[in-house]
Amino acid sequence: MDQSLMLRVRDLTKTFVIHTQGGVVIEVFSGLGFDLGAGECVALNGPSGCGKSTLLRSLYANYKADSGRILIRHAGSVVDMVSSDPRTVLAVRRATLGYVSQFLRVIPRVPTLDVVAEPAVIAGVPRSEALARASVLLRRLNIPGRLWSLPPATFSGGEQQRVNIARGFVLDYPVLLLDEPTASLDADNREVVMDLMGEAKARGAGLVGIFHDREVRDRIADRLFDLPRQEDAA
Amino acid sequence: MTQFAASAADRDGPFAGSGFPGGYVPGGYVSGRHVSDRESLDAGGDRPLIEVENLGYAYGSRVACRDIGFTLYPGEVLGVVGESGSGKTTLLSCLAGRLSPAAGRILYDRRPDGPVDLATLSEAERRLLIRTEWGIVHQNPRDGLRMGVSAGANIGERLMALGHRHFGQIREAAAHWLAEVEIDTDRMDDLPRSFSGGMQQRLQIARTLVIGPRLVFMDEPTGGLDVSVQARLLDLLRRLVAEMNLSGVLVTHELAVARLLAHRLMVMKGGRVVESGLTDQVLDDPHHPYTQLLVSSMLQV
């Protein structure tokens, strides 16, 4: 893998077999491949239901690919997310591969500031510094300070999404996966998220994202990766 | 490669100075299959805390669990899920030394001498291990607490069993641990039976963790508690497991609990492991028909 590459996907195939519905087989994609360079953003492209989110989740190993390789540059080496053991996958997620999902998975009782700081703490950043970074991000994303000590469970959808984004940027991940990061955001916050993504690219991170917002896509993405249309795509 | 936010743990890892950046790597890539478990991405070259191979147990002619195998590293929590009768509690009893497995082997990385086969330990050695390195959190706090002595004594007597004799220090440690599990230190001299179920469970956790165990077995730790009480307990366990770098085996039938606490999951059915892997992968992309049924039967996990 060339030194400037952050991620290389080859022959990636994903099928769902749904046993609770009589073993229905859903072929989402097969034989996919693309490269992601440092400082580059690739936007996954295709109609709704073509498997963009499934691909993103497969890259994070949240979904288990049937076959193929997802090679990622991690800690001075290259790791295959498809064949690596869970422990290795977790190590890659801790230090190298970030994922901004569409929805925040709320942890009961944990204050917003800690929710945001958590990935940095887990990656070994001193707690005080992690909290400082979290504060900067929450401030930039216009989450009022009086909410920081509350768990985000009762926040509005837009606020939760901004907490989620802050969580995804609290560590300078070398590779970042983003699923509709600007959905349900107002114009100001959309601008902030675009800035954050731009800054990540500028420091050399590789980004893979799903952006339905054309303006966001035009400004952030360097390339489109077209997913082939599938008959029964989930 | 300065953009890599390598953690402190990785910095001293086996890949440090491997000269990969900019270079050609024979074979093109390194994966979990090419590098053995012990060598890959270790935090400072650690080794498994416990290794289980082909474990089996039968009650008479009825097989309760068979061919169970897994490896647990320091700081990892393994969730074991499955319905009642799937063998998960039997598995926990074998691991915690309450039952002697009929088949297989359990290797434990004992201090200071390294991996030992638990079956070869004498009863005294086993009890020492339970006193000094292990903790058990029972579903029913009454099974883990001594109901006839005060909350403070419940915590303090674990230290006394380790040879601590200084009364003031023991009481100080008890107060510290009561605060850790969010019990008012005013309650130190009260009997646990005057506590609510949630408080009893938190007291049991304090009693378990005061000795600084390396490995904790948890059997439905949030079973039978109200949802709000459960959330508090889960948050507490999550924090303490991370802060103390504890390893744990968590048996639960609640997938939401497993998602919050476990790094990896084993799904058991009929005494066997039918599926295992990363917790979020098993729950979000279940492959085995039974796991799919289990996940789709949950309200929301």
Side-chain angles (χ1 to χ4, degrees), chain A residues 1 3 6 14-21 38 57 60-66 69 71 73-96 105-110 118 122-124 167 171-174 203-205, chain B residues 1 3-8 10 15-16 18-23 27-33 35-38 40-43 46 73-74 76 182 228 231-236 238 259-260 263-264 276-278 280-282 284-289 292-293 296 301:
Chain A
M1 199 159 119
Q3 195 195 351
M6 306 302 283
K14 178 61 190 165
T15 307
F16 291 107
V17 180
I18 306 177
H19 297 282
T20 49
Q21 288 170 29
R57 281 170 175 258
Y60 197 61
N62 174 232
Y63 286 173
K64 194 181 172 71
D66 305 341
R69 286 179 295 163
L71 306 180
R73 192 176 293 280
H74 167 74
S77 187
V78 176
V79 170
D80 179 11
M81 293 290 278
V82 177
S83 62
S84 289
D85 57 37
R87 195 158 168 265
T88 306
V89 171
L90 287 176
V92 172
R93 286 181 182 177
R94 259 197 305 276
T96 302
R105 187 178 285 284
V106 179
I107 307 156
R109 287 213 333 151
V110 180
E118 188 181 43
I122 290 173
R167 194 176 146 88
L171 203 65
D172 287 342
Y173 293 106
R203 67 170 162 77
Chain B
M1 298 303 292
Q3 72 266 41
F4 275 105
S7 70
D10 289 326
F15 297 132
S18 63
F20 175 74
Y29 64 99
V30 177
S31 79
R33 282 183 189 153
V35 183
S36 80
D37 263 5
R38 284 192 187 200
S40 68
L41 301 161
D42 282 352
D46 62 352
Y73 283 82
E76 268 190 329
E182 303 170 12
S228 61
R232 182 177 198 179
L233 196 72
L234 281 173
D235 174 35
L236 189 75
R238 235 173 136 261
R259 193 193 278 275
L260 276 176
H263 300 100
R264 288 187 291 130
S276 65
L278 282 172
D280 64 290
Q281 199 179 69
V282 171
D284 294 338
D285 186 14
H287 278 57
H288 191 276
Q292 292 189 354
L293 182 69
S296 64
V301 293

